[in-house]
Amino acid sequence: MEAARPPPTAGKFVVVGGGIAGVTCAEQLATHFPSEDILLVTASPVIKAVTNFKQISKILEEFDVEEQSSTMLGKRFPNIKVIESGVKQLKSEEHEFQKQLTKAKRIMIIGNGGIALELVYEIEGCEVIWAIKDKAIGNTFFDAGAAEFLTSKLIAEKSEAKIAHKRTRYTTEGRKKEARSKSKADNVGSALGPDWHEGLNLKGTKEFSHKIHLETMCEVKKIYLQDEFRILKKKSFTFPRDHKSVTADTEMWPVYVELTNEKIYGCDFIVSATGVTPNVEPFLHGNSFDLGEDGGLKVDDHMHTSLPDIYAAGDICTTSWQLSPVWQQMRLWTQARQMGWYAAKCMAAASSGDSIDMDFSFELFAHVTKFFNYKVVLLGKYNAQGLGSDHELMLRCTKGREYIKVVMQNGRMMGAVLIGETDLEETFENLILNQMNLSSYGEDLLDPNIDIEDYFD
């Protein structure tokens, strides 16, 4: 009987990373070069795949991120060979988030990005102390007005039914122990995806629905375990309730967090949701990559790093070309997919000696997501990034229904935030892209009695 052929260890194209950028890149290369082996090296037994892809407009796109077994990728693309190098090990099944939460009376969430926003909204029956370094929630995505619009949703009890998400999820928990024993605990896996909490029963022990206390303009100063806290004779605060004076907490907690505003809170556990760090470390030894200010590998307008034949896409890279006036890099799922797709196109073109134009998805920043069950569309310089004081804002807000903000400069639309079912995303996308002078429309641009889409058909 013939022995099974070992997986190839060299190939024309090697892609490292089983996240959205890596998988999208590998899939594109496999399509371009059906007779070549495309090697995908991943530190996790599962890969992230784009499913239910929908092109909403020229640039806006919506898709689900589905965790799949890496063998499914090989079935779709027989010439993709997955090399599983160092599976991330789950050290203890008792330490899983969902199991911890069922026993929790109080947790602390640190961070102000997308994951923190969703956690705060989804967790019920548990006191939540939310510490952010900004003045308002969702600072990465919103101004204070949009934050206030969303905060009112936090205070209201959740009555709407959950929207069903058609996604299959794989975790390492169900895999055989032998497969997990060879794993290394220090390997970094892929980032969490949109709706990562779906199917998790994020309920604590208390009976109330939302009990959230927000600590703004602060960061974590020190973390104490219970024994250390007791020895140092520190004092912690109770959960603040209804603006009453805060008193010393007599309950003993497993862990304590001291914030830079001098407040100390005890809790069952801490969730750090403080964003994405480019995982460049494995690639730096012995190489002289040019790095961006944020630590990512610098890439040019063809996703090429400073070293020959090495490309980068997604969270690991830092864009260093002359950017479009209405595009900026953010480490988001949409950009990971676009960059992975474009990197594959650039690699294929370089291999064939062809030239390739820059992909139009880098002309305009466009991202669609969901926060607190509202559809959220971000376009262009939606927070007036880099525009200085030379801009003006136009707002339309219907409490509980929609929040529309438009960023204008010299009569032209530079960005927009659309929260709710506004149906304005395609119109605004076109207005930002074509830089039409809108001065003559004035306030009518956001008049709810005027169908602005008819103006610009």
Side-chain angles (χ1 to χ4, degrees):
M1 184 177 156
E2 191 183 330
R5 201 179 82 175
T9 53
K12 188 181 180 77
F13 297 104
V14 179
V15 180
V16 179
I20 285 297
V23 171
T24 303
C25 183
E27 289 178 344
Q28 281 299 314
L29 288 169
T31 306
H32 269 288
F33 300 95
S35 58
E36 295 279 359
D37 278 339
I38 312 297
L39 308 188
L40 179 67
V41 182
T42 169
S44 167
V46 294
I47 53 98
K48 297 281 195 299
V50 168
T51 59
N52 303 325
F53 181 86
K54 287 196 290 269
Q55 196 75 44
I56 298 173
S57 62
K58 184 185 175 187
I59 294 176
L60 264 178
E61 55 188 47
E62 201 171 28
F63 54 84
D64 294 338
V65 175
E66 193 173 287
E67 283 194 328
Q68 294 180 352
S69 146
S70 54
T71 54
M72 287 179 72
L73 186 62
K75 284 176 185 166
R76 288 201 307 274
F77 299 90
N79 58 327
I80 293 182
K81 310 299 179 195
V82 179
I83 299 171
E84 200 178 300
S85 175
V87 178
K88 189 170 184 184
Q89 186 179 17
L90 202 56
K91 285 185 184 173
S92 154
E93 287 174 11
E94 289 78 57
H95 283 76
E96 282 184 277
F97 179 55
Q98 192 176 354
K99 291 177 183 174
Q100 283 280 62
L101 193 57
T102 56
K103 297 177 286 187
K105 290 181 287 185
R106 185 190 298 166
I107 72 164
M108 189 147 191
I109 294 174
I110 317 290
N112 201 11
I115 297 293
L117 284 167
E118 282 307 320
L119 259 180
V120 167
Y121 181 65
E122 290 295 329
I123 289 174
E124 296 178 352
C126 181
E127 289 174 349
V128 175
I129 295 166
W130 185 12
I132 63 173
K133 64 182 180 186
D134 312 295
K135 284 182 183 174
I137 66 164
N139 194 51
T140 319
F141 302 102
F142 308 121
D143 58 14
E148 194 174 324
F149 174 84
L150 287 170
T151 306
S152 61
K153 184 87 161 191
L154 274 184
I155 299 159
E157 291 296 304
K158 286 193 290 185
S159 57
E160 64 271 6
K162 292 224 174 182
I163 297 161
H165 288 271
K166 292 176 184 172
R167 289 205 189 110
T168 312
R169 283 175 187 74
Y170 293 84
T171 66
T172 50
E173 190 176 2
R175 290 168 65 82
K176 291 179 184 172
K177 283 212 166 59
E178 305 90 84
R180 290 192 359 223
S181 63
K182 65 181 169 124
S183 59
K184 291 181 182 173
D186 58 356
N187 277 325
V188 180
S190 304
L192 295 170
D195 308 309
W196 56 273
H197 50 73
E198 281 300 322
L200 293 183
N201 181 22
L202 300 184
K203 267 192 175 293
T205 58
K206 296 283 182 77
E207 290 302 307
F208 51 78
S209 176
H210 277 124
K211 196 65 106 181
I212 297 151
H213 173 68
L214 187 62
E215 289 284 352
T216 61
M217 306 288 286
C218 66
E219 295 180 62
V220 174
K221 185 176 175 184
K222 197 158 172 35
I223 294 171
Y224 306 94
L225 292 176
Q226 190 182 95
D227 288 351
E228 185 185 9
F229 187 81
R230 194 186 278 128
I231 292 163
L232 291 170
K233 294 189 164 69
K234 293 271 186 182
K235 294 278 188 288
S236 67
F237 292 135
T238 55
F239 189 86
R241 294 174 196 281
D242 306 322
H243 308 293
K244 292 175 185 169
S245 58
V246 179
T247 54
D249 197 351
T250 54
E251 188 163 348
M252 292 307 292
W253 298 92
V255 66
Y256 290 83
V257 182
E258 183 175 358
L259 300 171
T260 49
N261 61 11
E262 307 305 318
K263 292 182 183 177
I264 301 179
Y265 291 103
C267 57
D268 287 302
F269 63 92
I270 305 159
V271 179
S272 176
T274 49
V276 176
T277 305
N279 183 27
V280 297
E281 212 52 52
F283 306 99
L284 298 184
H285 184 67
N287 296 312
S288 53
F289 282 107
D290 288 349
L291 300 181
E293 283 181 21
D294 59 8
L297 304 179
K298 271 191 177 180
V299 291
D300 64 14
D301 58 0
H302 283 64
M303 308 310 290
H304 203 264
T305 67
S306 57
L307 298 186
D309 300 326
I310 298 179
Y311 296 74
D315 293 345
I316 199 171
C317 79
T318 301
T319 54
S320 62
W321 65 82
Q322 183 66 45
L323 302 181
S324 150
V326 287
W327 188 88
Q328 61 271 336
Q329 182 183 6
M330 285 183 77
R331 289 177 168 87
L332 299 164
W333 291 98
T334 39
Q335 287 195 0
R337 196 206 69 80
Q338 288 161 352
M339 286 181 174
W341 186 89
Y342 178 54
K345 290 280 191 191
C346 293
M347 290 160 79
S351 172
S352 313
D354 300 327
S355 61
I356 183 172
D357 291 330
M358 182 156 223
D359 190 75
F360 63 78
S361 61
F362 299 106
E363 286 178 32
L364 171 69
F365 177 87
H367 183 63
V368 60
T369 186
K370 251 190 163 58
F371 287 130
F372 301 179
N373 225 19
Y374 285 111
K375 179 182 178 180
V376 175
V377 176
L378 308 172
L379 295 170
K381 300 292 180 182
Y382 61 88
N383 247 354
Q385 297 96 321
L387 298 183
S389 56
D390 178 31
H391 70 273
E392 57 181 23
L393 304 178
M394 295 169 69
L395 292 172
R396 180 171 112 201
C397 181
T398 309
K399 194 174 179 184
R401 202 176 83 204
E402 64 176 17
Y403 178 94
I404 299 166
K405 179 187 80 171
V406 171
V407 181
M408 303 292 292
Q409 188 175 50
N410 302 324
R412 288 164 172 81
M413 193 182 292
M414 298 300 288
V417 174
L418 307 172
I419 305 178
E421 296 296 333
T422 65
D423 291 328
L424 289 171
E425 51 265 36
E426 199 162 358
T427 303
F428 282 10
E429 178 186 290
N430 290 330
L431 290 175
I432 298 169
L433 279 170
N434 65 30
Q435 287 292 286
M436 179 181 173
N437 193 328
L438 303 166
S439 305
S440 59
Y441 296 98
E443 296 298 310
D444 287 352
L445 202 59
L446 292 186
D447 187 334
N449 301 313
I450 295 173
D451 194 346
I452 196 71
E453 293 161 271
D454 292 346
Y455 265 107
F456 304 108
D457 266 355

